[in-house]
Amino acid sequence: MSLTNAYGFMSSTSPCRPLSIERREPGPTDVFFDIAHAGICHSDIHTARGEWGPVTYPIVVGHEIAGVVREVGSQVTKFKPGDRVGVGCMVDSCGECGYCFDGREQFCEKTIWTYDSIDKFGNPTHGGYSQAITVDERFVFHIPDAIALDEAAPLLCAGITTYSPLKRWVAPGMKVAVVGLGGLGHVGVQIAAAMGADVSVISQTMSKSADGLAFGAQNYYAASEPGTFARLRSTFDMILCTVSTTEHFTGYIGALTPTGALINVGMPGDPVMIQVRSLLPQRTMQGSQIGGCAETQEMLNFCAEHGVRPRIEKIGADQIDEAWQNVINSKVRYRYVIDADTFGTRG
Ligand code: NAP
Ligand code: ZN
């Protein structure tokens, strides 16, 4: 075991504070790497504040992790010291079930999540708001040279969570709407545009419209403006909903073509009310959860090739609480990325 500096939370209401956490020595198939940057995902906030249910404290969150390999186990084949790498929401799975075999490790019953999980040695997992981490090489990804480490970090969750459903549903020329121009949404707009879709944004207001168009959207709508959903009725082949609120779902469904699909990735803590007959004539509503390991590497390569880059604001450890408040208040532009060097002297 080695100790590493981290920032974590002692309860659902406490501010962020420095902690020292243990990381295991790399086993035969493990990669041990120094974390350079960690993105702030809204899921970090939902989890640490107990909005999805009870959590074990202290908790160190963060599942958008980018860094540089320090040490690898004797059987590691994909990585060597000095490689630029990333880790997302998962750090292990059974490796034997049907889902693991076909590259959908996120559905494995034994998936070990990057934080708030128990690892295969019985220890709690802790995430990327820290200076180092040990992860089985199956769950570590190469960061292409074209992507800087700070911009790579948000791709490990926001990137794969939007890439995976867009890849399943989008064909060139399709009309796609992204609901919510936040961390996930602003990456989703870029990916959908790179896939050749005709992209629109549905935001709360028009205040971010110039940014939405710069990210590749053709149109921008405000859900709060009267008449928006009447105007958009039967318009989109696919809607990717990234908001963590419960409003307007019947309006989004009504904005689909008769056979269109609303793919929801947002995870509000409260239930959502929909008028189920809005799913007629033959509309689909589906969830989507991150993406598998092979698909995550594919996404990173796609983003490198197509110039998809999160728009980030880099912060230090002392700004995490304020950044969380800005994410909650929808003031983030568009992903906070924490510089792990600000956690103290590295061990
Ligand atoms: P975020 O940066 O906070 O973005 C969410 C966006 O939702 C906001 O920027 C805002 O965009 C919109 N929004 C609509 N109504 C809002 C309201 N009343 N208050 C605040 N924002 C509102 O969050 P994120 O990190 O992109 O995550 C979005 C959701 O996806 C979260 O629920 C998160 O837990 C979930 N998630 C799911 C997965 C998965 O695997 N399915 C993976 C990662 C995250 P506008 O201002 O443009 O409306
Ligand atoms: Zn996330």
Side-chain angles (χ1 to χ4, degrees), residues 42-43 181 183-184 203-204 208 242 244 265 267 288 290 335:
H42 209 126
S43 300
L181 197 70
L184 266 57
S203 182
Q204 298 170 91
K208 294 180 275 188
T242 73
S244 48
V265 295
M267 298 170 68
S288 192
I290 51 171
R335 201 55 143 186

Side-chain angles (χ1 to χ4, degrees), residues 174-248:
M174 270 174 76
K175 281 185 182 295
V176 172
V178 175
V179 178
L181 197 70
L184 266 57
H186 90 290
V187 176
V189 169
Q190 295 181 59
I191 292 173
M195 288 176 174
D198 175 329
V199 187
S200 297
V201 175
I202 306 177
S203 182
Q204 298 170 91
T205 68
M206 294 302 285
S207 64
K208 294 180 275 188
S209 61
D211 291 343
L213 301 184
F215 293 135
Q218 317 271 326
N219 304 292
Y220 203 97
Y221 303 99
S224 60
E225 281 182 8
T228 294
F229 290 109
R231 189 146 59 99
L232 292 179
R233 195 165 292 142
S234 300
T235 300
F236 300 111
D237 301 298
M238 179 208 178
I239 297 178
L240 179 65
C241 182
T242 73
V243 300
S244 48
T245 61
T246 57
E247 299 163 308
H248 303 307

Side-chain angles (χ1 to χ4, degrees), residues 65-124:
I65 308 170
V68 178
V69 175
R70 196 195 294 189
E71 199 180 329
V72 298
S74 57
Q75 291 167 24
V76 167
T77 56
K78 288 196 305 179
F79 302 97
K80 58 179 186 327
D83 283 355
R84 290 153 24 93
V85 294
V87 164
C89 301
M90 303 180 280
V91 289
D92 214 337
S93 69
C94 81
E96 292 169 351
C97 72
Y99 293 122
C100 287
F101 266 110
D102 76 3
R104 292 183 292 168
E105 295 87 351
Q106 71 273 33
F107 304 147
C108 169
E109 278 189 9
K110 295 185 179 158
T111 298
I112 297 173
W113 305 102
T114 303
Y115 55 76
D116 198 35
S117 240
I118 299 294
D119 71 15
K120 58 189 172 197
F121 305 103
N123 299 314

Side-chain angles (χ1 to χ4, degrees), residues 23 31-33 35 37-39 62-69 79 84-92 112-115 126-128 132-143 149 152-158 160 293 296-297 299-300:
R23 295 302 193 188
V31 173
F32 177 69
F33 69 93
I35 296 174
H37 298 98
H63 56 206
E64 296 185 333
I65 308 170
V68 178
V69 175
F79 302 97
R84 290 153 24 93
V85 294
V87 164
C89 301
M90 303 180 280
V91 289
D92 214 337
I112 297 173
W113 305 102
T114 303
Y115 55 76
H126 286 300
I133 191 167
T134 312
V135 180
D136 188 282
E137 70 166 330
R138 285 197 299 133
F139 290 83
V140 182
F141 310 104
H142 283 285
I143 297 190
L149 284 182
L155 296 175
L156 275 309
C157 177
I160 185 60
C293 291
T296 300
Q297 187 64 60
M299 174 279 304
L300 287 165

